Amino acid sequence: MPKHPGCRYIYLYRNGEDVCASFFHHLSNQEEEDGGIPDDFEAFLAAFLAGEAPFGKWAHHLQSWMPQRDASDSQILFVRYEDLVADLEGQLLRFIAFLNLPQLRTELGKPAPLGLEALRPET
């Protein structure tokens, strides 16, 4: 996987079964002219496993990143989606440390503004 000096990467990966199901739902909710697919999971699963789904074989993508994980590459932080869901704050603290952004620690735990009012600029 090509990398640029001085850059850091956060690679979020997920259980393959969940990737397949999520990708199917994503594509089946799009119009066909926009890259959508028919609502036929069995056909999609066969294509996904054969590497014929859009963007190729998921395992090849995963395999292109995993050697860096095993080499403890300091430019890449590997995060399992399941860990992110189970411990969002803990994983965000990992992101903050990895990106060397300690000032963001003070923002954790503060309530996020909700609703349309949060989108309006302050005057």
Side-chain angles (χ1 to χ4, degrees):
M1 183 56 57
K3 295 182 292 189
H4 299 281
C7 292
R8 293 179 181 240
Y9 303 86
I10 298 175
Y11 184 74
L12 183 65
Y13 61 102
R14 189 174 187 186
N15 173 294
E17 292 174 1
D18 293 335
V19 168
C20 181
S22 179
F23 196 31
F24 168 74
H25 289 293
H26 172 72
L27 293 175
S28 65
N29 285 314
Q30 293 183 33
E31 297 296 327
E32 287 191 43
E33 62 267 12
D34 293 329
I37 60 168
D39 193 16
D40 179 355
F41 183 73
E42 294 297 322
F44 177 79
L45 177 60
F48 184 83
L49 293 174
E52 297 167 358
F55 306 109
K57 199 167 202 168
W58 170 76
H60 290 168
H61 175 73
L62 192 63
Q63 290 166 350
S64 73
W65 283 87
M66 286 300 128
Q68 284 88 352
R69 177 178 159 213
D70 297 337
S72 299
D73 191 316
S74 63
Q75 279 185 266
I76 306 171
L77 177 65
F78 288 86
V79 180
R80 283 180 6 139
Y81 176 81
E82 294 79 7
D83 294 339
L84 186 64
V85 170
D87 181 20
L88 180 60
E89 185 173 344
Q91 293 302 315
L92 290 175
L93 288 171
R94 284 183 68 209
F95 293 0
I96 288 168
F98 176 72
L99 297 171
N100 195 25
L101 298 170
Q103 67 275 20
L104 293 182
R105 288 183 68 100
T106 60
E107 298 298 317
L108 286 182
K110 289 184 181 178
L114 301 175
L116 292 176
E117 291 299 317
L119 301 175
R120 293 194 175 103
E122 294 182 27
T123 55

